[in-house]
Amino acid sequence: MDNNISFYTRPEFWSVVIAFIALIISALPYLRRFFKKAKLEVDIYDSIWITHHVGNPIIQINLIIKNIGGSSLSINQIFIDVYRDGEKIMKLPLKNYLEKFNDSYYFPFKKVSLDPNEEWHHGARFLNFFSRDDVKKYKENERNLKNEIERIKKETEKGEIVRANKSFIVAFEELFEKHFNWKDGNYSLELHIKTDNKKVDLIKTLKFTIFESLKQEFENDRNKYDTGDRIYWYSDNYYGEWIDIESIN
């Protein structure tokens, strides 16, 4: 047997080399993903939902947030800064979301983990909950208003809409004046997505316009408070407004 034969001329050597190359080729997609930096991508529908509850502003944005990076990440917080005519007027955190867009129940938003190529696709609702004092004020006056309307109903014909005395809705008028912020003007929203990796954090800017007619429509909601509408029940014409986004940056 000739011991001077070079190792690279041996069939066993090339079998190992070929097997190693095949292993590298099969592992390339995983290696590329491993070395790929974490990154988010956000898509937003062409319109947003604007409404309020006793003046308290609410915005719903249909979001598609996708992890297009090579590693898993966690979305810890999402909020929007709202500007009117260049002046910041409020900050609204993402409080809850629709699992499916035609659902009627909102789930509370919590920390979201996304693996590579995984997405979070929901109707995200942004608002500030009433303070503890406002909740107490609301609940007490809601109970009083409901009891008064039920009392009046017993003295009227069945099916007739009844109205409570002005004194029963003063508290709701005050809450409306305290919280209402949907005045006419040019608006921009800064959508902030905060993750466990600051380099991946994202800001998107959306621009839209609120006209005087919509402001007036929201203000007219107060005319229904004395029937209990918008307070402890909602008539079918309570929808808010879909507003077209003029630009996204």
Side-chain angles (χ1 to χ4, degrees), residues 233-245:
W233 67 278
Y234 298 92
S235 56
D236 291 340
N237 61 352
Y238 181 70
Y239 292 121
E241 187 80 13
W242 283 106
I243 297 183
D244 291 337
I245 298 174

Side-chain angles (χ1 to χ4, degrees), residues 18-247:
I18 293 171
F20 180 73
I21 293 174
L23 177 64
I24 293 296
I25 292 174
S26 64
L28 278 177
Y30 303 98
L31 291 173
R32 281 197 296 267
R33 192 175 73 178
F34 179 80
F35 289 106
K36 190 177 180 181
K37 294 181 180 179
K39 188 176 182 181
L40 282 179
E41 180 180 79
V42 178
D43 286 328
I44 299 170
Y45 282 30
D46 294 334
S47 57
I48 59 177
W49 178 254
I50 301 288
T51 188
H52 72 96
H53 178 59
V54 194
N56 195 34
I58 301 172
I59 295 179
Q60 180 171 312
I61 305 176
N62 294 334
L63 294 176
I64 306 173
I65 305 174
K66 187 174 182 178
N67 180 4
I68 60 173
S71 58
S72 298
L73 54 82
S74 294
I75 299 174
N76 298 330
Q77 184 185 21
I78 304 177
F79 65 89
I80 52 177
D81 287 327
V82 183
Y83 296 81
R84 181 176 59 240
D85 297 329
E87 179 183 356
K88 183 177 176 179
I89 58 172
M90 55 185 164
K91 174 182 177 180
L92 301 177
L94 172 55
K95 290 292 190 181
N96 45 45
Y97 65 94
L98 292 171
E99 183 69 31
K100 298 179 181 178
F101 292 129
N102 59 350
D103 284 348
S104 58
Y105 178 79
Y106 286 87
F107 292 87
F109 176 77
K110 299 179 181 179
K111 183 176 178 179
V112 174
S113 296
L114 293 179
D115 292 328
N117 295 319
E118 189 176 7
E119 68 179 27
W120 190 87
H121 184 188
H122 298 287
R125 193 166 71 156
F126 298 82
L127 72 154
N128 286 307
F129 291 144
F130 281 148
S131 68
R132 185 172 181 176
D133 288 342
D134 284 346
V135 169
K136 181 181 179 181
K137 181 178 183 179
Y138 188 99
K139 291 295 185 182
E140 288 177 351
N141 287 276
E142 176 189 37
R143 182 174 58 253
N144 293 337
L145 175 62
K146 188 173 183 179
N147 289 340
E148 175 64 8
I149 289 177
E150 291 301 317
R151 184 192 68 79
I152 298 174
K153 280 183 177 180
K154 293 178 181 179
E155 303 173 359
T156 59
E157 293 185 12
K158 188 175 181 180
E160 183 179 344
I161 294 179
V162 301
R163 296 181 180 274
N165 184 277
K166 177 77 173 178
S167 61
F168 286 89
I169 65 168
V170 171
F172 303 112
E173 291 274 6
E174 291 173 350
L175 286 172
F176 183 96
E177 291 297 332
K178 177 180 179 180
H179 294 285
F180 186 70
N181 232 331
W182 291 139
K183 300 176 182 179
D184 53 303
N186 297 313
Y187 284 75
S188 61
L189 305 181
E190 283 185 355
L191 173 69
H192 295 256
I193 301 176
K194 299 288 187 179
T195 72
D196 55 355
N197 183 346
K198 290 184 178 181
K199 294 181 179 179
V200 183
D201 291 356
L202 198 62
I203 300 177
K204 283 277 188 179
T205 302
L206 294 66
K207 294 186 178 181
F208 63 94
T209 301
I210 289 182
F211 297 102
E212 173 69 26
S213 58
L214 179 57
K215 170 188 173 255
Q216 189 63 51
E217 181 181 331
F218 285 152
E219 288 181 332
N220 288 341
D221 286 340
R222 294 178 294 182
N223 298 331
K224 302 177 176 65
Y225 290 170
D226 58 0
T227 68
D229 191 6
R230 313 310 202 246
I231 304 301
Y232 64 89
W233 67 278
Y234 298 92
S235 56
D236 291 340
N237 61 352
Y238 181 70
Y239 292 121
E241 187 80 13
W242 283 106
I243 297 183
D244 291 337
I245 298 174
E246 297 165 4
S247 65

